[in-house]
Amino acid sequence: MTDPTDPTVEAAMALLREHGPLHPHEWARLLVAAGHGYLADMEELTEYIDHPRLGYLADGRSAALDSLLDGRVLTHRLTAVEISSGILDAHPDLTPLLPFDDHDPAAGGLHTIFRDLDDDVFDERGVDDPDWPKDAALLLEPDALADFRPGDLVALTLVDGLLRLTAAAVPPAAAPDLTGALADLVPQEGPGPLDDIVWQLLADDPALLTAPTIPLGDLITAARYMCDGDFIAAAGFDFAAHRGQSHAAAVAAAHHLTDDETDAVMAFTALIGAIEHTPDDERERAVDAVVATAGDRFAYLASPNAARAAFGEAYATLRAGTETLHRAAAVLRGRGPRKIAPTAHWLAGKAAELDGRATDAERHYERAVSVDPNWDEALEELARFASDRGDAVRAIGLLDRTPGGSDDPMYDLLQSFRPVDRPDLGRNDRCWCGSGRKYKACHLGKAEHPLEQRAGWLYQKAASFAQGIAWRPLLLSLAQIRSAHDDDPMALYHALDDPLVADVVLFECGAFERFVTERGVLLPADELLLAQQWLLSERSVHEVEAVRPGEGLTLRDVRTGDRLQVTERTASRALRVGDFFCARVVPAGATTQIFGGIEPIAPAQRGRLIELLDSDATDPAELVEFLSARFAPPRLVTTDGHPMVACRAVFEVADTAGIRRKLSRRFGAADHDRWTWTEQGSVLGAANLTSGAEPWVLEVEAMSEPRFESLIETVGAADPGARLREQTRVPAAELMAQAQEKGVRPHQPVNPEDPEIAAVLAEHIRGYEQQWLDEVIPALGGHTPRACAADPTRRDELIRLLDSFPQQEQPGAMSVRRLREALGL
């Protein structure tokens, strides 16, 4: 999707505001005429532009919603809970307003909330009903409705993008008849998208809803149509059946199910619903009814695909805890066909795992395999249990019995822990370990790997646990953050296996603690003790003090000052003395090792990262976002914190004498009709008056939009008759990208020839250097660089920090030479 702030997107929205709804080909031609690309590219772009205020109409046109809805009046009849909470049920009366969410109701804006996502907001506002509202709601100020009573009609109007809420006139204006219009727009065979159809109504009739009338939902009902969620259909349409069919189709597609398997999964979901939502005294009858209705359909749950889908659907709907799943599994065991007994035992095992009862879960999986020795799902689960127990041979044997078992992520690792026999010893010889027992009774067929080797295996066991269904939402949300700056369509998929994402789920999100609590009973005793030690280990920032390529590193923990000898074969070949990185360093038998990835840290990041790691209030998502910022394109800002944008405007001016006098008064004397706007040594903008042919031309330039607007206001005040001939605003990052396209290779530091870009980089980095001199730096013990330079007892630490920075000067990086000069070093 496109970026709403992209200049082409903004240009497209401006055209739609000017011309009204347009078809893609019309839109594309106007964009091309305005100089925004080639027609072929534009026609494709207009199909996929993503902007919060862009609406796609039912007839294929697109519209700028802020223009389409400006001045339209939507009404809504209030309920007691809405008045007391300051929350309006948006469906369907107010749904056209939802695209105008700006998260600031106090400023006259809108904030959209949802019951299943914003429970805390509803709780704070005293809403007790967990099912209200069913769809989106609008959050107002807490007392916004205090002057109203239940049944009152309120009118909501957008004027210049701001929400106005007033009491509607009583009686309201005559209600328009939407019957004919909706008959033309709503599909006869099923539901249509409510938003598209309502926006089409407004586009087709500019007078519609320009005065308070009865609520939109009532207008739709009066026309003999009905709404459900985001859809509208003719009265009498069975939305429940439609939702069920759509959901079944989605489940079938997601799990590659046959029609019979899909029916079986839906029957199991109905069984879960009957158990979960029926009162105790009626539950047995409800279960009987589901079983009778399902008939032979349950038999298709014998398929592992269908079993996985059934578990996923059940987990997504559980409210009363795992007891519902236990009961449903018992119903399948007792009343389903014998062929689904493995599925029933497997489901019971999954419920026991969710409860944290590992040994009970293992027992259920064993029963599943006893009924069907080749039932894949149970074999895979038992392989995980065998791995947790340290029995690589059994785990490999179980995986070998499943299709594609050798592709399992833990398969190759397990191979490295197979026992190695001693061909020089006979079965009845004394064992090599010195126990005095016979080899066959002691170590024959058994592995004996030191703990430092098994540490990686232990970490993999925990990582496999964190891939479970209970942790997937966290894993997905962090992977989305990690991949946010990557345009690769597979970026999210790869991020799910990212070492940092997995490690944050394990430790900062608590999965490892749960693993130790629930699976610790399975672990070998020394691995359990090691896992408990890992719970005490914290992520930190480390400086590389020595490197032994292919062997290990000597590190200094910047937060504690501790020095560590770390065994690390791969990273030790890439890291250099003086590098800094963020990682979790943990004990591993007689060694110290790193698990969970190594995140390189730039000098300017260290202080903020240490603050995040020191704070108990740091959210895991915030940590992942900070450590993933290195993947983002460069964000250039001016010294006053505004995004760098190369802005230029050209005016035709007549009163040159007045312009000269007033610009000189504002910016100081001109240099050959060029005025430079400077403050505290920084150049903020420039104005250049060009002589020659009439009229005279005044060109103004600035590197941020606020400065540019100030210059334009200054010109207007100096010469009210000045005519703006042209203006451009180009983000600095775009200028840099253009420079790279002209020949700067991606792996080289950007060294643009364009003087504007060079000026951007120079201004940005010099301003940052001046700020850095007076920042509190955790790596300097919480002191500023300037204070350390003046303190002989701290100067060596400052010099050491500067020595760790890149010494070669390059655009976009602080200059160590300039820093030393500023600090007198």
Side-chain angles (χ1 to χ4, degrees), residues 70 75 328 343 350 454 466 478 541 606 660 671 686 709:
D70 190 52
T75 60
T343 299
K350 299 300 287 184
R454 287 181 282 125
L478 295 182
V541 177
R606 282 180 227 152
R660 287 190 176 96
D671 179 11
E709 298 293 346

Side-chain angles (χ1 to χ4, degrees), residues 121-153:
V121 177
F122 288 95
D123 292 342
E124 289 171 6
R125 295 293 183 93
V127 179
D128 297 327
D129 185 352
D131 295 318
W132 184 88
K134 181 180 178 182
D135 294 295
L138 296 179
L139 180 69
L140 308 178
E141 287 293 284
D143 58 352
L145 304 172
D147 296 334
F148 295 94
R149 295 181 179 180
D152 283 353
L153 199 65

Side-chain angles (χ1 to χ4, degrees), residues 769-804:
E769 287 172 358
Q770 292 301 312
Q771 294 174 12
W772 184 83
L773 295 173
D774 295 300
E775 283 184 354
V776 172
I777 308 296
L780 296 176
H783 299 89
T784 68
R786 206 183 298 276
C788 290
D791 185 345
T793 65
R794 297 194 176 99
R795 193 173 298 145
D796 286 346
E797 188 68 18
L798 173 61
I799 293 172
R800 182 185 183 88
L801 177 61
L802 292 173
D803 287 343
S804 73

Side-chain angles (χ1 to χ4, degrees), residues 16 20-24 26-27 55-63 200 203-204:
L16 290 172
L22 295 170
H23 284 287
E26 299 169 326
W27 191 6
Y56 292 98
L57 309 188
D59 65 2
R61 291 182 297 166
S62 303
Q200 184 74 57
D204 290 345

Side-chain angles (χ1 to χ4, degrees), residues 547 549-550 553 568-577 579:
V547 176
L553 308 162
E568 176 55 59
R569 293 181 176 82
T570 303
S572 62
R573 293 187 173 93
L575 291 169
R576 300 173 300 173
V577 173
D579 286 346

